[in-house]
Amino acid sequence: MRILVTDGMDKSALEQLRKNGHEVVEQFYQPDQLGKALRDFDAVIVRSATKVREAQIKEAAGSSLKLVIRGGVGVDNIDVKFAEANGITVKNTPKASSNSVAELALSHMLSCSRFISIAGHTMREGKWEKKAYEGFEIMGKTLGVIGYGRIGQALGAKAQALGMTVLAYDIFKVPGLECATMRYVEMDELLQKSDFISIHTPSVDGKPFVCVENIAKMKDGVVVINTSRGSNVDENALLCCSRKRQGPRRRPGRME
Ligand SMILES: NC(=O)c1ccc[n+]([C@@H]2O[C@H](COP(=O)([O-])OP(=O)(O)OC[C@H]3O[C@@H](n4cnc5c(N)ncnc54)[C@H](O)[C@@H]3O)[C@@H](O)[C@H]2O)c1
């Protein structure tokens, strides 16, 4: 097959495709040039930068293009219905990055509990604010996971291994997952009891999870992590509320 790779791909994956006899072209196209370019390929592999929308699919429809692959989870950069209505299959790689994103979320939790970013930054300014950025342990704390799918569960397992209790909120409850250190709860309980909240749903229509109303229900000093989609957080509300509540010595459960 002739395969177009628009947003880059790991060298080993490119080599594997070529070894399997495919012709692979690496090239990014601007949106107004992509549709025409796609006509020369059997498949295109994108990540998130390239948008394969109705306009591009219309131009490519009826050509050799049979397959659009999104290297990643969310397919919100592809008009899936329109592509499939035009005989073009759309696939993604839902499991490939689950552990990586879970590790990223965990890194943020550890970094925030030790104020690593701000402490490192102020130290480079010549300050030594040891007292102001006194950290706290995550062991024994509660992690609220909104969206307990592949990434949420991977993070949940790591958090439990580190001695945390996990509260999960999901519209779909997987039977058999609950145990002494993990249970499904309603959103209000998650908001009220969590020291850390991590979001792992797709982009959800309607009110974002992190909004004025929900922030008001959270503990003071809660750490909120979003590695899902930006639309799940009302950033203005977050900024406004954290300015009101934030202090340099924030610790879970402690009122400032
Ligand atoms: N930061 C990154 O690099 C990166 C990489 C991969 C995926 N992601 C994002 O992470 C998110 C989760 O990915 P995943 O692979 O775990 O997906 P998944 O489909 O395995 O899990 C998502 C979970 O969210 C639940 N859910 C959906 N709508 C909900 C709602 N309104 N309320 C509560 N729960 C809801 C689903 O039931 C499901 O269990 C996606 O938004 C994805 O785009 C980010």
Side-chain angles (χ1 to χ4, degrees):
M1 294 208 296
R2 259 176 72 74
I3 302 171
L4 175 66
V5 174
T6 59
D7 301 331
M9 208 160 99
D10 193 84
K11 215 173 123 217
S12 60
L14 293 168
E15 274 167 13
Q16 189 64 50
L17 285 174
R18 290 188 176 119
K19 222 166 98 182
N20 289 355
H22 301 295
E23 187 187 340
V24 183
V25 177
E26 282 185 278
Q27 170 81 47
F28 177 80
Y29 287 95
Q30 293 300 332
D32 58 338
Q33 294 164 1
L34 179 68
K36 191 164 170 275
L38 287 177
R39 298 189 64 84
D40 291 334
F41 292 90
D42 301 295
V44 58
I45 303 176
V46 305
R47 287 189 58 80
S48 51
T50 298
K51 319 282 178 223
V52 189
R53 305 266 192 238
E54 193 174 318
Q56 289 80 25
I57 296 164
K58 260 186 191 157
E59 272 195 88
S63 69
S64 56
L65 188 75
K66 297 178 222 33
L67 180 63
V68 178
I69 299 178
R70 154 80 164 105
V73 179
V75 283
D76 32 3
N77 53 328
I78 300 163
D79 194 331
V80 180
K81 271 194 191 149
F82 196 72
E84 292 186 341
N86 282 278
I88 300 166
T89 304
V90 180
K91 296 277 182 195
N92 62 348
T93 58
K95 292 182 197 159
S97 52
S98 307
N99 185 62
S100 188
V101 181
E103 282 189 13
L104 174 66
L106 182 64
S107 308
H108 283 305
M109 287 165 58
L110 290 165
S111 174
C112 288
S113 66
R114 300 289 163 166
F115 305 101
I116 286 174
S117 173
I118 181 83
H121 186 74
T122 50
M123 195 193 73
R124 281 170 180 78
E125 288 175 342
K127 298 175 194 160
W128 180 242
E129 301 187 314
K130 195 178 161 191
K131 284 265 153 56
Y133 300 122
E134 187 190 328
F136 54 89
E137 291 180 4
I138 67 172
M139 187 170 78
K141 301 291 187 304
T142 299
L143 167 66
V145 182
I146 301 178
Y148 211 60
R150 293 181 192 87
I151 299 172
Q153 287 172 38
L155 176 63
K158 293 176 199 307
Q160 288 170 76
L162 291 170
M164 299 185 83
T165 299
V166 175
L167 302 178
Y169 170 77
D170 200 299
I171 44 173
F172 178 74
K173 294 179 179 56
V174 181
L177 276 189
E178 287 185 305
C179 61
T181 48
M182 181 270 153
R183 63 190 172 89
Y184 285 107
V185 292
E186 291 306 317
M187 179 62 95
D188 273 6
E189 185 176 350
L190 183 148
L191 296 171
Q192 286 155 11
K193 294 189 176 164
S194 299
D195 302 302
F196 295 83
I197 296 176
S198 196
I199 307 169
H200 300 287
T201 66
S203 180
V204 169
D205 290 337
K207 196 173 67 175
F209 293 115
V210 179
C211 58
V212 173
E213 191 187 327
N214 284 350
I215 292 171
K217 294 175 186 164
M218 294 176 193
K219 280 186 182 181
D220 275 344
V222 63
V223 172
V224 177
I225 293 153
N226 180 28
T227 54
S228 62
R229 288 292 183 262
S231 55
N232 288 332
V233 174
D234 177 346
E235 286 171 358
N236 288 330
L238 185 68
L239 193 62
C240 168
C241 296
S242 55
R243 270 200 190 127
K244 275 190 214 151
R245 291 165 44 152
Q246 199 176 35
R249 294 188 199 97
R250 294 180 313 136
R251 303 181 70 163
R254 190 161 121 178
M255 301 288 279
E256 292 290 332

